[in-house]
Amino acid sequence: MILGRFSMITPRVLKGFRDQLPHQMIEKNKIIAALTQIFEKFGFVPIDTPSLEYTEILLGKGSGETDKQIYRFEDHGKRDVALRFDLTVPLARYVSQHYSELIFPFKPYHIGTVWRGENTQKGRYREFNQCDFDILGTEAIGSDLEILLMVNEGLSALSAGDFVIHVNNRKILNALLKMMDSSDKSTDVLRIIDKVYKIGTEQVITELKNDVGLNGEQLKILINFLNMNESNPVFEITGEGIFKKLNSIKEMLPADQQGDVEQTEQIFKTIEQIGVLHHFAYNPAITRGLDYYTGLVFESFIKDRIEFGSVCSGGRYDNLTSLYSKNPVSGVGGAFGLDRLVALMEDKALFTDRSSTAEVFIFQLEEKFLAQYYNISRQLQHSGINCEVSLENKKMGLQFKTADRKKIPYVIIAGEVEVNMGRYNLKNIISGVEWKELTISEIVQKIKEKA
Amino acid sequence: MILGRFSMITPRVLKGFRDQLPHQMIEKNKIIAALTQIFEKFGFVPIDTPSLEYTEILLGKGSGETDKQIYRFEDHGKRDVALRFDLTVPLARYVSQHYSELIFPFKPYHIGTVWRGENTQKGRYREFNQCDFDILGTEAIGSDLEILLMVNEGLSALSAGDFVIHVNNRKILNALLKMMDSSDKSTDVLRIIDKVYKIGTEQVITELKNDVGLNGEQLKILINFLNMNESNPVFEITGEGIFKKLNSIKEMLPADQQGDVEQTEQIFKTIEQIGVLHHFAYNPAITRGLDYYTGLVFESFIKDRIEFGSVCSGGRYDNLTSLYSKNPVSGVGGAFGLDRLVALMEDKALFTDRSSTAEVFIFQLEEKFLAQYYNISRQLQHSGINCEVSLENKKMGLQFKTADRKKIPYVIIAGEVEVNMGRYNLKNIISGVEWKELTISEIVQKIKEKA
């Protein structure tokens, strides 16, 4: 078969999809490893679900309309199937299906790929990773608390910069609306408040007045509750202010409506006792829009990159499994925005831009010493040092160039004399410092000291 | 919205697809982590490609016929797209597309999901993971050697049992056929030899005689070369026998055809010098069927589970990129059979069947001590011990039961007295041994000693 140039296929990926080059994938894997470690520290367990499911499972019955967001098609067996577009719907199906095999409270984490055929504007991809964690089957306050502590530990582990976790409880607003005899307006009020960062305080007030029909007194209570004033454009309340604020809300409410405020107080008190309150804020304007959340809601921000939006969000929901099972399961959970975190950390130049996982590059001066080079390599590897042997027997200058391009900091140079001695030359090619005739353990020591 | 029982959707997955329960995913992740660590020890770098590609990229131009194996459909933009069915074709596209951005020899590893709509007989799934590793852009003997060393290190790290890596070089058989003036019969001979484990020695000889038309003298040479005799049903040659065998083949060949045998000898010699020859065998019957391999080929087996087939296979190929690029790139690589390894290790009962990642379960005796429990937990976590706090304030008996069902070996019990002392009770619920009033560091010590 002879392929002329006209029969070649232009190598390219679909719009909204992308390859990961090594330096990108190395960093992404580091983030995944850090989060996985945190999940497991807290005893969360990994799960997975298929990428492809019955469309009925993902979209519900009678979803006849073509949803532009969903990759949906007919498979070889004429089944109506679709690629999962989030990890929450598959989790609901999973918990319903395996109900009797799971141990509740069930604490799964799920890192997986999802697909959405949406428009591909800046930073939006049609294939991306989600990283969900949930506590299912309990309404105990410990579960809300633990989810928040996990977010704190996760964002601390990532070292993406100082962060703040904005916490709210939807039920507090609902209690206020009930007090104002406006429970029926809850959905509209939530929807409008959720837009505040886009449309501004003025416009929120206008819409609450004109569209929802709140009166002057009601508006005053809401504006006060939401802490909407020009000097605090993100509406966050921190430190001891949190307890003052919650107390003032409690005092507004009748005694039988104070429970949710007290629960929120208790969560913040416990966070304070654990010593991590400086990473948290109370933000009554966080509602998570029209999502299915019913109680606790939260969003988190890297302080010097607020414009990237929330990097970890979530909340409490009721009856996750209602579509598939008569066993009601409520829960609380969150998701780290993996791709957003990668973009943010790249923007902050926090990545090393390495194109190798190795710290040491062993030159190949003579092919006949390959066994010796790999033996040196093995000894370093067993000491926990990642190590490459130069695969080709090229000129020294070219081998230096390879190590340099791969950004491998150390090289080991060993010819006949050194191999026979069992002592080798080490060079730090960044600092230019060289050491002659070192034993393996001396080499290990130099590298571990980052000499 | 009231959902009657008739409007519920039965929770189920598509045929050939599956959920991963926690105890399965924990083990799968362990295997992936072990392999990743080995890849990185050798300086291999992670890459990724999209799940969905242009069908033309995956199947070549003019692939009009419907291939039952491929999940193929039209996307929202009327593009002909398909889910990747292996990681090799995407790698060829990737290397062609990013040629100028990559550093050669390029050493990628790629762990990813692939989809094939094939029949779902025992242990065959339509969605599964592959785990590929390659060295691209060099024909140096060091690269063949390194791939084999990686397989050895990988299988050692997995602790799935004693193993053997069967190595061959297709070029040796080709040199023999050339000597017999039968180079044109190479494809047929390879195809028939490849079937030997299925059809047996007798049938192979019959087919080589009748279908290929080899004469008596030619058959004798081949049978002798292939080491086909009843006493050695897997045709493997180990230890010093390897060098004797290769030498006897070399003596059969004219001087100008001995190069490939010598190269194979050199690889085995180096493996011997490195001290791992006991994990290798020379097997002239390994051909890897009609694959695109051109030189080195290998398969690997766990000795007490030969029937599971090869758990890591691969070889050397030429011009991987010919379909997409004028830059020819040859390489050598392999793939670990992740799902096969999981099934094999499950069969050998090598899995712990844990449903938690935690080693310690801290009882919740009073909700007001949640902060203290999480503080104990944090201290253990910082000492590298995964630790769960009981989320619910239930009776002791129920909390014991939860720890037991999750197979968490240690529990910490602390009520008011213990919390005030800062000393806690530890119990190993497997052995039943209990310790009273331990400090955190004493607890850490007991757990690390597996007391």
Side-chain angles (χ1 to χ4, degrees):
Chain A
M1 181 177 60
I2 294 162
L3 285 167
R5 56 184 287 257
F6 294 108
S7 59
M8 262 187 206
I9 298 168
T10 309
R12 66 209 188 279
V13 297
L14 288 160
K15 198 177 156 197
F17 290 77
R18 62 189 156 160
D19 287 325
Q20 297 282 348
L21 289 170
H23 71 275
Q24 297 164 327
M25 198 69 192
I26 287 170
E27 300 299 339
K28 191 171 168 177
N29 281 352
K30 268 191 215 160
I31 294 177
I32 291 173
L35 294 179
T36 300
Q37 200 186 13
I38 297 299
F39 292 144
E40 304 207 338
K41 270 192 177 169
F42 280 83
F44 281 68
V45 288
I47 63 161
D48 203 6
T49 68
S51 306
L52 211 59
E53 299 238 17
Y54 284 103
T55 303
E56 180 187 84
I57 294 280
L58 297 182
L59 294 184
K61 279 197 174 170
S63 43
E65 78 281 16
T66 39
D67 188 328
K68 274 275 178 194
Q69 294 224 2
I70 311 296
Y71 284 97
R72 176 180 182 175
F73 59 98
E74 196 175 74
D75 79 356
H76 313 101
K78 305 278 179 202
R79 298 173 202 91
D80 182 359
V81 300
L83 288 166
R84 65 184 177 204
F85 57 89
D86 76 359
L87 300 178
T88 305
V89 177
L91 176 64
R93 196 264 310 143
Y94 180 100
V95 171
S96 305
Q97 189 169 339
H98 303 287
Y99 190 81
S100 63
E101 298 164 87
L102 304 175
I103 303 164
F104 291 96
F106 180 47
K107 293 167 49 174
Y109 74 89
H110 190 181
I111 300 171
T113 307
V114 301
W115 294 264
R116 290 183 199 168
E118 60 199 349
N119 281 337
T120 55
Q121 315 160 46
K122 58 166 176 100
R124 284 281 193 171
Y125 291 94
R126 288 177 171 164
E127 176 179 61
F128 53 98
N129 291 113
Q130 288 202 331
C131 182
D132 283 18
F133 53 102
D134 293 87
I135 299 174
L136 297 163
T138 176
E139 296 186 8
I141 196 168
S143 55
D144 286 21
L145 174 69
E146 182 160 306
I147 289 292
L148 294 175
L149 293 176
M150 282 265 316
V151 179
N152 179 56
E153 291 291 323
L155 293 178
S156 300
L158 291 180
S159 308
D162 195 15
F163 60 89
V164 58
I165 304 166
H166 283 189
V167 178
N168 190 19
N169 188 329
R170 276 194 178 190
K171 286 182 179 162
I172 297 176
L173 178 67
N174 286 336
L176 274 176
L177 290 172
K178 189 171 179 192
M179 182 191 73
M180 301 191 285
D181 281 327
S182 303
S183 288
D184 56 320
K185 292 168 181 160
S186 165
T187 307
D188 288 332
V189 172
L190 280 171
R191 182 178 46 76
I192 292 167
I193 291 174
D194 188 54
K195 294 192 292 182
V196 67
Y197 293 104
K198 282 184 196 146
I199 64 177
T201 307
E202 296 279 317
Q203 183 63 23
V204 164
I205 294 167
T206 307
E207 292 191 14
L208 288 174
K209 196 165 144 189
N210 299 345
D211 300 1
V212 185
L214 296 185
N215 65 35
E217 180 59 23
Q218 291 171 325
L219 273 178
K220 210 179 129 191
I221 292 172
L222 263 190
I223 292 167
N224 178 43
F225 163 68
L226 291 171
N227 224 33
M228 285 185 175
N229 59 63
E230 292 306 320
S231 66
N232 181 18
V234 289
F235 319 111
E236 68 176 25
I237 302 157
T238 55
E240 283 306 309
I242 295 171
F243 303 104
K244 272 183 218 149
K245 175 74 181 178
L246 289 169
N247 206 46
S248 78
I249 296 168
K250 202 162 63 177
E251 283 171 359
M252 279 197 281
L253 293 167
D256 66 336
Q257 293 293 314
Q258 293 177 357
D260 297 308
V261 183
E262 280 166 2
Q263 205 177 35
T264 306
E265 251 178 345
Q266 197 190 334
I267 288 175
F268 277 114
K269 267 283 170 234
T270 313
I271 288 172
E272 188 180 38
Q273 288 177 301
I274 292 171
V276 292
L277 190 65
H278 56 288
H279 283 152
F280 287 85
Y282 172 55
N283 184 344
I286 296 282
T287 71
R288 306 284 307 138
L290 295 178
D291 273 330
Y292 40 77
Y293 296 112
T294 51
L296 173 81
V297 283
F298 64 89
E299 296 188 347
S300 345
F301 304 91
I302 306 297
K303 284 185 175 175
D304 59 3
R305 289 294 185 285
I306 297 277
E307 68 274 18
F308 275 77
S310 174
V311 293
C312 185
S313 317
R316 172 164 284 284
Y317 43 83
D318 288 331
N319 208 354
L320 178 73
T321 50
S322 63
L323 211 51
Y324 316 104
S325 165
K326 279 176 285 179
N327 297 312
V329 176
S330 65
V332 55
F336 285 95
L338 211 51
D339 293 272
R340 192 172 282 184
L341 278 163
V342 170
L344 187 152
M345 290 176 79
E346 206 158 18
D347 187 62
K348 289 181 75 169
L350 290 172
F351 292 153
T352 51
D353 201 26
R354 297 269 308 275
S355 288
S356 173
T357 53
E359 292 173 78
V360 184
F361 192 70
I362 301 176
F363 281 12
Q364 183 182 142
L365 302 195
E366 299 200 48
E367 197 178 89
K368 68 176 180 194
F369 293 136
L370 270 177
Q372 284 77 7
Y373 296 141
Y374 277 102
N375 271 331
I376 299 169
S377 176
R378 280 190 109 197
Q379 291 176 70
L380 295 180
Q381 288 170 352
H382 287 175
S383 304
I385 295 167
N386 294 347
C387 182
E388 279 193 59
V389 174
S390 175
L391 294 168
E392 296 180 307
N393 179 13
K394 288 193 171 162
K395 282 184 188 156
M396 291 268 278
L398 287 173
Q399 298 195 49
F400 264 118
K401 209 175 148 187
T402 301
D404 187 48
R405 285 190 68 201
K406 288 189 168 204
K407 299 199 173 75
I408 301 177
Y410 295 94
V411 302
I412 288 175
I413 304 160
E416 182 125 34
V417 177
E418 289 81 13
V419 164
N420 288 338
M421 267 196 301
R423 287 173 167 269
Y424 317 98
N425 303 328
L426 178 72
K427 183 171 183 173
N428 179 326
I429 61 171
I430 296 161
S431 67
V433 180
E434 261 181 290
W435 299 269
K436 297 274 182 198
E437 299 177 10
L438 301 186
T439 62
I440 293 286
S441 59
E442 287 167 344
I443 289 173
V444 169
Q445 205 187 328
K446 291 284 178 208
I447 293 167
K448 295 218 161 166
E449 285 167 0
K450 299 190 186 299
Chain B
M1 181 177 60
I2 295 161
L3 286 168
R5 54 183 289 257
F6 294 108
S7 59
M8 264 190 204
I9 298 168
T10 309
R12 66 209 190 279
V13 298
L14 289 160
K15 196 179 158 195
F17 290 77
R18 62 187 156 160
D19 287 324
Q20 298 282 346
L21 289 170
H23 71 274
Q24 297 164 326
M25 197 69 192
I26 287 171
E27 300 300 338
K28 190 170 171 180
N29 281 353
K30 268 193 215 158
I31 294 178
I32 290 173
L35 294 178
T36 299
Q37 198 185 18
I38 297 298
F39 293 145
E40 304 208 338
K41 269 194 178 169
F42 280 83
F44 281 68
V45 289
I47 64 163
D48 202 7
T49 68
S51 306
L52 210 59
E53 299 239 17
Y54 284 102
T55 302
E56 181 188 83
I57 294 280
L58 297 182
L59 293 184
K61 279 198 172 173
S63 43
E65 78 280 14
T66 39
D67 188 327
K68 274 276 179 193
Q69 294 225 358
I70 312 296
Y71 283 97
R72 177 181 182 175
F73 59 98
E74 199 174 70
D75 79 357
H76 314 102
K78 303 278 176 204
R79 299 172 200 92
D80 183 357
V81 300
L83 288 166
R84 66 185 177 201
F85 56 88
D86 76 1
L87 300 178
T88 305
V89 176
L91 176 65
R93 197 262 312 141
Y94 180 99
V95 171
S96 306
Q97 188 170 338
H98 302 288
Y99 189 80
S100 62
E101 298 163 86
L102 303 175
I103 303 164
F104 291 97
F106 180 47
K107 293 167 52 174
Y109 74 90
H110 190 182
I111 300 171
T113 307
V114 301
W115 294 265
R116 289 183 199 168
E118 61 198 349
N119 282 337
T120 54
Q121 313 160 46
K122 58 164 176 106
R124 284 279 192 173
Y125 291 93
R126 288 177 170 163
E127 175 178 62
F128 54 98
N129 289 114
Q130 288 201 332
C131 182
D132 284 19
F133 52 101
D134 294 88
I135 300 174
L136 297 163
T138 178
E139 297 185 7
I141 195 168
S143 55
D144 286 22
L145 174 70
E146 183 161 308
I147 289 292
L148 294 174
L149 293 176
M150 281 264 315
V151 179
N152 178 56
E153 291 290 324
L155 293 178
S156 300
L158 290 180
S159 310
D162 196 14
F163 59 89
V164 57
I165 304 165
H166 283 189
V167 178
N168 189 19
N169 187 329
R170 276 194 176 190
K171 286 182 178 161
I172 296 175
L173 178 67
N174 286 337
L176 272 176
L177 291 171
K178 190 173 180 187
M179 183 192 75
M180 302 191 286
D181 280 328
S182 304
S183 287
D184 56 321
K185 292 170 180 158
S186 164
T187 307
D188 287 331
V189 172
L190 280 172
R191 183 176 46 75
I192 292 167
I193 291 174
D194 188 53
K195 294 191 292 183
V196 69
Y197 292 104
K198 282 184 198 148
I199 63 177
T201 307
E202 296 278 318
Q203 183 63 19
V204 163
I205 293 165
T206 308
E207 291 192 15
L208 287 174
K209 195 165 146 190
N210 299 346
D211 301 1
V212 184
L214 296 185
N215 64 34
E217 179 62 22
Q218 290 171 325
L219 274 177
K220 207 177 131 196
I221 292 172
L222 264 190
I223 292 166
N224 179 43
F225 163 68
L226 290 172
N227 224 34
M228 284 186 177
N229 61 64
E230 292 307 320
S231 67
N232 180 18
V234 289
F235 319 114
E236 69 176 24
I237 302 157
T238 56
E240 283 307 309
I242 295 171
F243 302 104
K244 271 183 218 147
K245 175 74 182 178
L246 288 170
N247 206 47
S248 79
I249 297 168
K250 201 161 68 177
E251 282 170 359
M252 280 197 281
L253 293 167
D256 66 337
Q257 293 294 315
Q258 294 176 357
D260 297 308
V261 184
E262 279 164 3
Q263 206 178 33
T264 305
E265 251 178 346
Q266 196 189 333
I267 287 175
F268 277 113
K269 267 281 170 239
T270 312
I271 287 172
E272 187 180 39
Q273 287 177 301
I274 292 170
V276 292
L277 190 65
H278 56 288
H279 283 152
F280 287 85
Y282 173 55
N283 183 343
I286 295 280
T287 71
R288 306 283 307 134
L290 296 178
D291 272 329
Y292 40 76
Y293 297 111
T294 51
L296 172 81
V297 282
F298 64 89
E299 295 187 348
S300 344
F301 304 91
I302 306 297
K303 283 184 175 175
D304 60 4
R305 289 295 184 283
I306 297 278
E307 69 275 17
F308 275 76
S310 175
V311 293
C312 185
S313 317
R316 170 164 286 283
Y317 43 84
D318 289 331
N319 208 357
L320 178 72
T321 51
S322 64
L323 211 51
Y324 315 102
S325 165
K326 279 176 286 182
N327 298 311
V329 175
S330 65
V332 56
F336 284 95
L338 211 51
D339 293 273
R340 192 172 283 183
L341 279 163
V342 169
L344 186 152
M345 290 175 78
E346 207 158 15
D347 187 62
K348 289 183 74 170
L350 291 172
F351 293 153
T352 49
D353 201 27
R354 297 272 307 276
S355 289
S356 173
T357 53
E359 291 172 80
V360 184
F361 192 68
I362 302 176
F363 281 11
Q364 184 183 141
L365 301 196
E366 300 201 47
E367 196 178 91
K368 68 176 180 195
F369 293 134
L370 269 177
Q372 284 78 6
Y373 297 141
Y374 278 103
N375 271 331
I376 300 169
S377 175
R378 280 189 109 196
Q379 291 176 70
L380 295 180
Q381 289 170 352
H382 287 177
S383 304
I385 295 167
N386 295 348
C387 182
E388 277 194 62
V389 174
S390 175
L391 295 169
E392 296 179 307
N393 180 12
K394 289 193 173 162
K395 283 183 187 156
M396 290 268 278
L398 288 172
Q399 298 195 50
F400 265 117
K401 207 175 152 190
T402 302
D404 186 49
R405 285 191 67 199
K406 288 189 170 205
K407 300 199 172 74
I408 301 177
Y410 296 94
V411 301
I412 289 175
I413 304 160
E416 182 125 32
V417 177
E418 291 79 12
V419 164
N420 288 337
M421 266 196 302
R423 288 174 167 270
Y424 316 99
N425 302 329
L426 178 73
K427 181 169 183 174
N428 179 327
I429 61 171
I430 296 162
S431 67
V433 180
E434 259 182 290
W435 299 269
K436 297 274 183 196
E437 299 177 10
L438 300 185
T439 63
I440 293 287
S441 59
E442 287 166 346
I443 289 173
V444 169
Q445 206 188 328
K446 291 284 177 210
I447 293 167
K448 294 217 164 168
E449 284 169 2
K450 297 188 187 300

